[in-house]
Amino acid sequence: MRLHEAIRRYLTWCRAMGTSPRTFPNLQCVLRLFCAWAKDRGVTMLEQLTPDLFEAYQEELTFRINPRGRPVCIGTQRVHLGVIRRWGRYLVEQDFLISNPAGRLRLPRKTHALPRAIPSVEETIRLVEARAGEGREAYRDQTILELLYSTGLR
Protein backbone atom coordinates (compact mmCIF):
# COMPACT_ATOMS: atom_id res chain seq x y z
CA MET A 1 0.00 0.00 0.00
CA ARG A 2 1.20 3.52 -0.77
CA LEU A 3 2.01 5.83 2.15
CA HIS A 4 -0.49 8.49 1.16
CA GLU A 5 -3.25 5.86 0.99
CA ALA A 6 -2.33 4.54 4.46
CA ILE A 7 -2.39 8.10 5.79
CA ARG A 8 -5.79 8.74 4.18
CA ARG A 9 -7.18 5.57 5.79
CA TYR A 10 -5.72 6.52 9.18
CA LEU A 11 -7.24 10.00 9.03
CA THR A 12 -10.62 8.51 8.06
CA TRP A 13 -10.33 6.10 11.00
CA CYS A 14 -9.39 8.94 13.39
CA ARG A 15 -12.40 10.94 12.27
CA ALA A 16 -14.67 7.89 12.72
CA MET A 17 -13.23 7.34 16.21
CA GLY A 18 -14.20 10.88 17.21
CA THR A 19 -10.90 12.72 17.02
CA SER A 20 -11.42 16.33 18.01
CA PRO A 21 -12.02 18.69 15.07
CA ARG A 22 -9.24 20.87 16.51
CA THR A 23 -6.77 17.94 16.53
CA PHE A 24 -7.54 16.64 13.06
CA PRO A 25 -5.75 19.38 11.02
CA ASN A 26 -2.63 18.81 13.13
CA LEU A 27 -2.70 15.08 12.38
CA GLN A 28 -3.03 15.82 8.67
CA CYS A 29 -0.15 18.29 8.69
CA VAL A 30 2.25 16.06 10.64
CA LEU A 31 1.57 12.99 8.51
CA ARG A 32 1.78 14.89 5.23
CA LEU A 33 5.11 16.39 6.29
CA PHE A 34 6.41 12.91 7.11
CA CYS A 35 5.08 11.51 3.83
CA ALA A 36 6.82 14.27 1.84
CA TRP A 37 10.05 13.72 3.78
CA ALA A 38 9.89 9.97 3.14
CA LYS A 39 9.09 10.48 -0.55
CA ASP A 40 12.22 12.64 -0.90
CA ARG A 41 14.15 9.58 0.27
CA GLY A 42 12.46 7.25 -2.20
CA VAL A 43 10.05 5.73 0.34
CA THR A 44 6.50 5.61 -1.03
CA MET A 45 5.22 2.22 0.12
CA LEU A 46 4.36 0.95 3.61
CA GLU A 47 6.65 -2.04 3.12
CA GLN A 48 9.61 0.35 2.89
CA LEU A 49 9.08 1.77 6.39
CA THR A 50 11.86 0.71 8.76
CA PRO A 51 12.90 1.64 12.29
CA ASP A 52 16.03 3.24 10.81
CA LEU A 53 13.89 5.48 8.60
CA PHE A 54 11.89 6.70 11.59
CA GLU A 55 15.05 7.29 13.60
CA ALA A 56 16.45 9.33 10.70
CA TYR A 57 13.23 11.35 10.66
CA GLN A 58 13.54 11.98 14.39
CA GLU A 59 17.11 13.15 13.92
CA GLU A 60 16.09 15.44 11.06
CA LEU A 61 13.27 16.83 13.19
CA THR A 62 15.77 17.60 15.95
CA PHE A 63 17.75 19.86 13.61
CA ARG A 64 14.83 21.24 11.55
CA ILE A 65 14.52 25.01 11.38
CA ASN A 66 11.03 26.51 11.67
CA PRO A 67 9.73 29.34 9.44
CA ARG A 68 11.02 31.91 11.98
CA GLY A 69 14.56 30.63 11.51
CA ARG A 70 14.75 28.89 14.89
CA PRO A 71 15.12 25.19 15.74
CA VAL A 72 11.83 23.33 16.14
CA CYS A 73 10.98 23.32 19.85
CA ILE A 74 10.85 20.16 21.96
CA GLY A 75 7.07 20.40 22.28
CA THR A 76 6.62 20.38 18.50
CA GLN A 77 9.00 17.46 18.16
CA ARG A 78 7.03 15.54 20.78
CA VAL A 79 3.76 16.19 18.93
CA HIS A 80 5.19 15.08 15.58
CA LEU A 81 6.76 11.93 16.96
CA GLY A 82 3.67 11.08 19.00
CA VAL A 83 1.48 11.28 15.90
CA ILE A 84 3.94 9.11 13.95
CA ARG A 85 4.03 6.49 16.74
CA ARG A 86 0.23 6.36 16.95
CA TRP A 87 0.03 5.99 13.16
CA GLY A 88 2.48 3.08 13.35
CA ARG A 89 0.39 1.45 16.07
CA TYR A 90 -2.69 1.83 13.87
CA LEU A 91 -0.91 0.19 10.92
CA VAL A 92 -0.16 -2.87 13.06
CA GLU A 93 -3.64 -3.01 14.62
CA GLN A 94 -5.22 -2.92 11.16
CA ASP A 95 -2.83 -5.63 9.88
CA PHE A 96 -1.16 -3.38 7.31
CA LEU A 97 2.21 -4.11 8.96
CA ILE A 98 3.47 -6.96 11.12
CA SER A 99 5.37 -4.74 13.56
CA ASN A 100 5.46 -1.04 14.33
CA PRO A 101 8.60 0.45 12.75
CA ALA A 102 8.01 3.65 14.73
CA GLY A 103 7.72 1.76 18.00
CA ARG A 104 11.34 2.39 18.98
CA LEU A 105 10.99 6.17 18.78
CA ARG A 106 11.49 7.88 22.12
CA LEU A 107 10.02 11.29 22.70
CA PRO A 108 12.48 13.99 23.69
CA ARG A 109 12.35 15.02 27.33
CA LYS A 110 10.22 17.99 28.24
CA THR A 111 12.14 21.05 29.27
CA HIS A 112 11.17 22.89 32.41
CA ALA A 113 11.99 26.48 31.56
CA LEU A 114 11.68 29.44 33.85
CA PRO A 115 9.10 32.09 33.03
CA ARG A 116 10.29 34.52 30.37
CA ALA A 117 9.27 37.68 32.22
CA ILE A 118 10.78 37.86 35.69
CA PRO A 119 10.02 41.09 37.55
CA SER A 120 12.88 43.21 38.83
CA VAL A 121 13.52 43.58 42.57
CA GLU A 122 11.88 47.03 42.55
CA GLU A 123 8.78 45.71 40.73
CA THR A 124 8.49 42.82 43.17
CA ILE A 125 8.74 45.09 46.22
CA ARG A 126 6.16 47.45 44.73
CA LEU A 127 3.82 44.51 44.02
CA VAL A 128 4.14 42.98 47.50
CA GLU A 129 3.72 46.30 49.30
CA ALA A 130 0.79 47.46 47.18
CA ARG A 131 -2.57 47.21 48.89
CA ALA A 132 -5.87 47.38 47.10
CA GLY A 133 -7.63 49.04 49.98
CA GLU A 134 -8.01 48.31 53.67
CA GLY A 135 -9.70 45.56 55.55
CA ARG A 136 -9.64 41.80 55.65
CA GLU A 137 -9.69 41.18 51.89
CA ALA A 138 -6.76 43.53 51.24
CA TYR A 139 -4.81 41.88 54.05
CA ARG A 140 -5.69 38.42 52.67
CA ASP A 141 -4.57 39.41 49.14
CA GLN A 142 -1.26 40.79 50.41
CA THR A 143 -0.66 37.62 52.44
CA ILE A 144 -1.32 35.45 49.38
CA LEU A 145 1.10 37.53 47.27
CA GLU A 146 3.81 37.28 49.91
CA LEU A 147 3.29 33.53 50.19
CA LEU A 148 3.52 33.08 46.43
CA TYR A 149 6.64 35.20 46.19
CA SER A 150 8.47 33.73 49.19
CA THR A 151 7.85 30.11 48.12
CA GLY A 152 8.61 30.69 44.44
CA LEU A 153 5.18 29.53 43.27
CA ARG A 154 3.93 30.74 39.93
Side-chain angles (χ1 to χ4, degrees), residues 11-64:
L11 293 173
T12 301
W13 179 82
C14 285
R15 190 165 270 163
M17 296 305 291
T19 298
S20 167
R22 295 181 68 185
T23 302
F24 195 78
N26 192 34
L27 292 175
Q28 282 181 308
C29 178
V30 168
L31 291 169
R32 289 201 172 122
L33 284 172
F34 173 76
C35 189
W37 178 87
K39 186 178 180 183
D40 289 346
R41 280 142 191 84
V43 176
T44 58
M45 304 295 287
L46 278 183
E47 297 77 22
Q48 295 174 288
L49 296 177
T50 65
D52 290 339
L53 179 78
F54 284 103
E55 288 173 7
Y57 183 70
Q58 181 172 15
E59 184 176 325
E60 190 276 333
L61 199 56
T62 302
F63 297 106
R64 184 179 290 173

Side-chain angles (χ1 to χ4, degrees), residues 105-125:
L105 289 177
R106 298 290 169 245
L107 301 181
R109 292 183 63 168
K110 290 182 185 179
T111 58
H112 300 285
L114 292 173
R116 293 182 187 195
I118 299 175
S120 67
V121 173
E122 295 80 23
E123 291 171 322
T124 304
I125 290 171

Side-chain angles (χ1 to χ4, degrees), residues 1 6 8 15 18 77-78 80 87 106 124 130 136 154:
M1 177 184 304
R8 186 192 64 73
R15 190 165 270 163
Q77 291 176 40
R78 290 177 60 86
H80 281 244
W87 178 55
R106 298 290 169 245
T124 304
R136 294 173 69 166
R154 292 187 250 165

Side-chain angles (χ1 to χ4, degrees), residues 90-103:
Y90 161 83
L91 294 172
V92 172
E93 289 171 0
Q94 300 297 314
D95 294 326
F96 294 124
L97 293 176
I98 295 171
S99 65
N100 182 358

